[in-house]
Structure formats: C-alpha cells, structure tokens
Amino acid sequence: MSGVSFELQRAASTRGRKGEIYSWIGEVNGLGRIELSFPTEHSDYPAEYCEVAVTGDSFPLVTYLGLRYLRRPLLARGEMRVDWDPADLSRNLHWWGRRGRALRIQVKGRSYKYAQVGGKCSHELSRSGAGVRMRRSSWNNPRTLSGTCSGAADSLDIAVAVVLEAVYTRNLSAPGALVSMPGRFLNRCNFI
C-alpha cells in the first residue's frame, strides 16, 4: 500500500454512559471505512482508565487501555490488544533522542517502533519493510488525522498507527516528557 494516503474527520461527539465520546471517521482506499473512538462504551474498566478503539470494514479491532490523563490514556502501564490478543509494549525512558524514546510494540508476530517525528503532531509507526506516518491537525483536539503508508503497510499497520493517535504521547520526546511531568505525576498521586 505504498503511497496510499487517508484522512479521518472528526465526527460529532455523542454522550455515553462514561461521558462524551469522541470519534474520527474516514475511508482508506482499498480497505474501506475506519473509525477511531474514545472512550469506548463496551468495557468495564474503572473510571480512572480510558480505552480507545479502532474498528472498520477490513481492519482488526485494536484497543488501547491506560490511565486517563487529559481525556486520553497514558503510555505508562498501557495495554494494547489486537483482536483481543495482547501486545507487548516497552519504552526506554532514559534516552533523550526521539528514536531512543520510541514505543516498541510486539504483536501478531510483528515488531513495531512508534516515534514522534517532526513536531508533537507527527508520529510514525514502522516495522521492517512498512510504515505509516500520521499527522494531527492540532495536538490537543484535532479536526483531522491524516496518514500516509509506505512499503508493504496493511490494515493491521494502519489500525495500530491510528489507535495511537488517541493516546497521550507527549513523553515520546524528552522536551515533551519534561513539560508533561508535573501533570502526569499529580495524575498518578490520585491512585496511591
């Protein structure tokens, strides 16, 4: 799917039993409809957690669950599932470079790296021979989420890249980690 570009548009927010639900909906050429939404309504996680999900015509169900921070789940202690199979997530918190601080994901026999590229609105999910570069129209409350595929990217790659756009990822760069540290620290103090 090299060179395929797609865009998800912000849909009208709805009210659910867990509060306001945010959604982005779009089409990926050759794969059909894709939707990103959070928080999800179908799980029984405690109120201090937030779960995001990607669903679609030809896409696997990808969910990410983490402690809630600014309406989004945090990377710390997060859990990703692809069609209910758990992913192995890891990060090196002590590296200063963006590639060193990247989120590493092992799922469905694939090894991914998810890193901030450029400013805080651009991220790239990559594996050997494929990648998906995502861009938010704004960092906090984007109207659009745009993606461009490279190499042999497929529906799994796209779904994983899209679900991570709803996760709080400021700490993938050292400056972002420093800026968000006080708020993330106070957020965790509520659960001690």
Side-chain angles (χ1 to χ4, degrees):
M1 294 198 69
S2 185
V4 171
S5 294
F6 58 93
E7 185 174 272
L8 283 72
Q9 297 284 329
R10 175 85 184 266
S13 298
T14 58
R15 294 286 298 168
R17 65 183 174 90
K18 295 185 184 245
E20 193 168 10
I21 300 170
Y22 303 93
S23 299
W24 288 262
I25 300 170
E27 293 276 331
V28 178
N29 200 12
L31 294 173
R33 183 177 186 272
I34 184 170
E35 180 177 351
L36 168 66
S37 61
F38 72 92
T40 57
E41 288 291 296
H42 62 274
S43 60
D44 293 327
Y45 53 84
E48 63 267 15
Y49 286 85
C50 179
E51 185 176 45
V52 298
V54 166
T55 58
D57 297 338
S58 303
F59 296 92
L61 171 65
V62 179
T63 60
Y64 190 96
L65 176 68
L67 287 172
R68 181 185 304 270
Y69 179 67
L70 300 176
R71 299 182 315 196
R72 297 174 182 267
L74 287 170
L75 286 173
R77 292 185 273 166
E79 298 176 8
M80 179 185 284
R81 293 187 180 274
V82 176
D83 286 335
W84 307 111
D85 292 336
D88 182 28
L89 306 174
S90 63
R91 290 185 301 140
N92 187 336
L93 302 176
H94 305 292
W95 283 66
W96 284 95
R98 290 178 180 160
R99 290 289 176 192
R101 294 185 64 83
L103 176 65
R104 287 160 184 78
I105 305 165
Q106 300 278 329
V107 65
K108 299 281 188 184
R110 296 181 179 183
S111 296
Y112 291 104
K113 209 180 253 191
Y114 182 74
Q116 181 178 324
V117 291
K120 62 185 176 183
C121 293
S122 296
H123 299 87
E124 183 174 35
L125 178 77
S126 59
R127 64 176 170 90
S128 179
V132 180
R133 185 171 280 222
M134 297 296 298
R135 176 134 184 93
R136 302 172 188 164
S137 60
S138 71
W139 178 77
N140 190 27
N141 193 13
R143 301 298 308 158
T144 60
L145 303 172
S146 304
T148 303
C149 301
S150 60
D154 60 14
S155 62
L156 175 57
D157 302 325
I158 294 169
V160 171
V162 169
V163 82
L164 289 168
E165 289 302 301
V167 176
Y168 184 82
T169 56
R170 278 300 302 270
N171 48 347
L172 288 179
S173 71
L178 291 173
V179 166
S180 64
M181 187 181 303
R184 289 183 290 117
F185 175 76
L186 292 173
N187 189 60
R188 288 194 184 142
C189 288
N190 294 334
F191 311 116
I192 296 177

